[in-house]
């Protein structure tokens, strides 16, 4: 709460000061905002990672550094990651940067601005909202809207289903697979990595649905964070559909600031590499996340660099557009399954062992849970949810219910309760993105 208040006061003050001052002082106030916000983020999220990495580097060159020398008398491992810091830091920074760029005027009402920073449905894990979109809504008098309340409750219920029935169920298998990377059963490890792709997607989109639903109930519209990412047919397409609020934030405030796609092809590829290095690092203070980001950068760079060659090749082969998209989809899913092994693993060594044994087909054993019903239920749930998302997207789920006749609606409600009672996984798991 202290950090949240410090960030709020800092950006409220800097925003007001930037309104009527010279360009020089505008830059100073922007620098103050960046320093305080990113400084807090660095200390509480990355300081331990930074000090241990420096220590490992010195050790690699044969220079042993004691804890006393690197950290004084304080153990940085005692620092806890404050809840939501990555999300509200980016949200408040977008506010000061937009004021600096002249896109918005500073908010003079401290309570409204504080509510923008700490709006509770999306505070912990997004979506990361812009001031130009959310603050005007917070100033409006709220009107009771029964239709929006119904839509919001359905989105909340859908998110709850995705979390406790689907994502947590997949998590049981994923935890089992990743706890034994030395397993000789390659198919079970492949299935574990495949399930993790959908676990993290359903888990995160569940939180987003709940956040958007709660906001809708009280008359606030939040932006969508997902657009059926696992139906993407290219890597670029995937990243335009996944964690949309975060990726557009990086595009608007980082990618364009370092040059974006303007300039030479080489500079564009360099900027993409920097962008995804930050994407990886933002997700966690571990080299596994950094490597995951770099691998995605490399694939996107290869996709852009070979686009003209592939177009000529496919044209020469006479492949139809639908076939090309199917190939792109299959390759993209396969690549995500492989690279997310680094995202899920506690260390690079663990990930390398896991990847190595993924392709050891000494047996066709996949049932590491000892329960074929649960295994097939996981697959059936993935297919069912993806089918719903294919037809209704991530944002129109309520259309499956709200336009039905009354007896059909109540049948669906009772069926939902029955499914939750019967199939919910009671593991008391937090949302995966709470750790970021």
């Amino acid at each position: 709460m202290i950090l949240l208040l410090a960030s709020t006061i800092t950006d409220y003050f800097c925003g007001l000061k930037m309104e009527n001052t010279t360009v020089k002082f505008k830059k100073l106030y922007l620098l103050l905002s960046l320093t305080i916000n990113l400084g807090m983020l660095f200390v509480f999220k990355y300081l331990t990672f930074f000090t241990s990495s420096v220590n490992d580097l010195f050790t690699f060159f044969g220079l042993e550094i004691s804890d006393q020398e690197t950290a004084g008398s304080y153990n940085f491992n005692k620092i806890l990651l404050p809840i939501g810091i990555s999300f509200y830091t980016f949200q408040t920074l977008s506010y000061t940067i937009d004021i600096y760029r002249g896109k918005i005027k500073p908010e003079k009402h401290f309570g409204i601005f504080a509510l923008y920073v700490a709006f509770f449905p999306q505070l912990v894990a997004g979506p990361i909202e812009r001031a130009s979109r959310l603050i005007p809504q917070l100033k409006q008098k709220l009107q009771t809207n029964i239709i929006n309340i119904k839509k919001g409750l359905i989105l909340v219920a859908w998110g709850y289903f995705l979390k406790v029935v689907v994502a947590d169920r997949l998590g049981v298998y994923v935890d089992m697979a990743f706890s034994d990377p030395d397993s000789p059963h390659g198919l079970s490890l492949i299935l574990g990595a495949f399930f993790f792709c959908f676990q993290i997607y359903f888990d995160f989109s569940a939180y987003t649905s709940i956040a958007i639903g709660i906001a809708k109930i009280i008359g606030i519209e939040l932006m969508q964070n997902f657009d059926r990412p696992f139906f993407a047919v290219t890597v670029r397409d995937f990243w335009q559909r996944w964690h949309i609020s975060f990726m557009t934030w990086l595009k608007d405030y980082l990618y364009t600031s370092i040059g974006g796609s303007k300039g030479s092809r080489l500079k564009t590829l360099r900027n993409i590499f920097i962008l995804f290095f930050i994407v990886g690092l933002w997700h966690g203070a571990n080299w596994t996340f950094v490597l995951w980001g770099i691998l995605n950068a490399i694939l996107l760079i290869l996709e852009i660099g070979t686009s003209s060659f592939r177009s000529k090749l496919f044209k020469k082969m006479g492949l139809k557009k639908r076939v090309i998209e199917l190939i792109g989809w299959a390759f993209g899913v396969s690549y995500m399954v492989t690279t997310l092994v680094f995202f899920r693993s506690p260390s690079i060594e663990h990930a390398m062992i896991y990847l190595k044994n993924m392709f050891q087909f000494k047996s066709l054993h996949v049932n590491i849970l000892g329960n074929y019903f649960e295994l097939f239920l996981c697959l059936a749930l993935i297919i069912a949810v993806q089918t719903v998302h294919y037809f209704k997207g991530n944002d129109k789920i309520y259309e499956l219910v709200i336009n039905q006749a009354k007896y059909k609606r109540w049948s669906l409600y009772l069926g939902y309760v029955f499914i939750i009672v019967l199939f919910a996984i009671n593991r008391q798991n937090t949302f995966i993105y709470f750790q970021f």
Side-chain angles (χ1 to χ4, degrees):
M1 290 299 296
I2 293 171
L3 293 176
L4 182 62
L5 186 60
S7 183
T8 302
I9 292 173
T10 296
D11 291 314
Y12 176 74
F13 169 79
C14 291
L16 289 177
K17 291 294 183 181
M18 278 193 284
E19 185 176 21
N20 296 308
T21 188
T22 62
V23 174
K24 178 183 177 181
F25 281 101
K26 269 190 175 182
K27 288 182 178 179
L28 286 175
Y29 287 121
L30 177 62
L31 183 61
L32 177 63
S33 173
L34 291 170
T35 301
I36 292 177
N37 283 287
L38 295 179
M40 289 192 298
L41 185 63
F42 174 79
V43 169
F44 285 92
K45 187 171 181 177
Y46 298 106
L47 185 57
T48 301
F49 172 64
F50 176 77
T51 54
S52 63
S53 296
V54 170
N55 195 25
D56 290 342
L57 183 64
F58 276 97
T59 302
F60 179 79
F61 289 104
L63 300 171
E64 289 290 341
I65 308 283
S66 67
D67 289 341
Q68 189 73 19
E69 292 171 309
T70 56
S73 59
Y74 190 79
N75 180 6
F76 288 127
N77 291 322
K78 292 179 181 177
I79 297 177
L80 299 177
L81 180 63
I83 191 166
I85 190 169
S86 297
F87 290 90
Y88 67 71
T89 297
F90 275 36
Q91 185 150 307
T92 57
L93 283 179
S94 70
Y95 169 79
T96 50
I97 295 171
D98 280 349
I99 292 175
Y100 175 78
R101 291 177 174 177
K103 291 185 175 181
I104 62 172
K105 295 287 185 181
E107 175 54 48
K108 292 180 171 58
H109 192 296
F110 180 75
I112 294 290
F113 178 70
L115 181 57
Y116 159 71
V117 178
F119 187 56
F120 79 94
Q122 45 85 232
L123 172 64
V124 180
I128 303 169
E129 284 289 346
R130 308 291 175 87
S132 59
R133 175 182 163 86
L134 185 54
I135 287 181
Q137 294 187 71
L138 299 177
K139 289 182 172 183
Q140 294 175 358
K141 183 179 179 181
L142 297 181
Q143 302 290 337
T144 302
N145 187 315
I146 297 300
I147 297 298
N148 277 347
I149 291 173
K150 287 181 179 179
K151 289 178 179 180
L153 287 170
I154 292 168
L155 285 172
V156 170
W158 175 252
Y160 187 63
F161 165 77
L162 285 181
K163 171 61 179 169
V164 301
V165 174
V166 188
D168 285 354
R169 172 165 272 99
L170 294 173
V172 175
Y173 193 101
V174 171
D175 291 346
M176 186 75 74
F178 277 85
S179 67
D180 185 22
D182 290 309
S183 171
H185 310 300
L187 283 178
S188 65
L189 296 182
I190 290 174
L191 198 59
F194 177 76
F195 278 180
F196 178 66
C197 280
F198 287 97
Q199 181 200 3
I200 194 171
Y201 168 44
F202 294 150
D203 190 283
F204 195 15
S205 64
Y207 179 91
T208 300
S209 290
I210 292 171
I212 292 173
I214 291 172
K216 191 179 285 288
I217 288 168
I218 58 177
I220 302 295
E221 293 291 332
L222 298 180
M223 71 177 294
Q224 285 299 323
N225 221 11
F226 294 93
D227 181 18
R228 299 173 289 186
F230 284 98
F231 290 105
V233 295
T234 65
V235 178
R236 177 186 287 181
D237 188 23
F238 176 86
W239 286 109
Q240 290 173 341
R241 295 164 175 258
W242 176 273
H243 203 347
I244 298 169
S245 65
F246 173 61
M247 295 307 297
T248 53
W249 193 101
L250 289 177
K251 178 185 175 183
D252 293 343
Y253 301 109
L254 173 66
Y255 185 67
T256 56
S257 297
I258 59 177
S261 56
K262 296 177 181 177
S264 66
R265 175 63 68 90
L266 189 61
K267 286 184 178 179
T268 300
L269 299 181
R270 179 207 65 184
N271 294 339
I272 290 172
F273 186 87
I274 294 172
L275 174 70
F276 277 91
F277 179 87
I278 298 298
V279 168
L281 190 61
W282 181 88
H283 277 88
N286 194 318
W287 286 111
T288 53
F289 296 113
V290 175
L291 183 56
W292 168 76
I294 290 172
L295 289 173
N296 279 280
I298 291 171
L299 181 63
L300 188 55
I301 289 169
L302 288 173
E303 181 178 275
I304 294 171
T306 62
S307 59
S308 58
F309 169 76
R310 286 183 291 108
S311 296
K312 293 176 182 177
L313 179 63
F314 292 146
K315 188 175 182 180
K316 198 172 185 179
M317 294 172 66
L319 296 179
K320 294 182 178 180
K321 182 182 177 181
R322 194 65 180 169
V323 175
I324 296 171
E325 289 179 344
L326 186 61
I327 293 171
W329 171 81
F331 178 80
V333 171
S334 301
Y335 192 84
M336 289 304 297
V337 168
T338 305
T339 55
L340 279 171
V341 170
F342 290 97
F343 194 99
R344 177 60 177 76
S345 297
S347 67
I348 292 176
E349 292 78 12
H350 184 284
M352 295 305 294
I353 293 170
Y354 194 100
L355 288 170
K356 176 186 174 184
N357 289 313
M358 269 177 66
F359 303 102
Q360 300 290 330
F361 303 112
K362 296 179 180 178
S363 76
L364 299 179
H365 178 73
V366 294
N367 188 30
I368 59 177
L369 292 178
N371 186 329
Y372 277 106
F373 173 77
E374 282 292 329
L375 183 63
F376 287 114
L377 181 60
C378 286
L379 293 169
L381 286 169
I382 290 174
I383 294 170
V385 173
Q386 287 295 86
T387 301
V388 171
H389 282 170
Y390 180 80
F391 289 104
K392 294 299 177 182
N394 292 80
D395 58 335
K396 296 290 192 297
I397 304 299
Y398 50 78
E399 289 182 353
L400 293 171
V401 181
I402 206 165
N403 296 324
Q404 301 291 340
K406 183 180 287 188
Y407 77 93
K408 288 184 179 180
R409 289 204 312 273
W410 282 99
S411 297
L412 288 169
Y413 298 153
L414 291 173
Y416 172 82
V417 172
F418 177 77
I419 289 171
I420 294 295
V421 171
L422 193 62
F423 293 110
I425 297 292
N426 184 22
R427 300 180 69 209
Q428 309 250 332
N429 280 353
T430 60
F431 289 92
I432 292 174
Y433 263 69
F434 279 12
Q435 65 185 289
F436 306 133

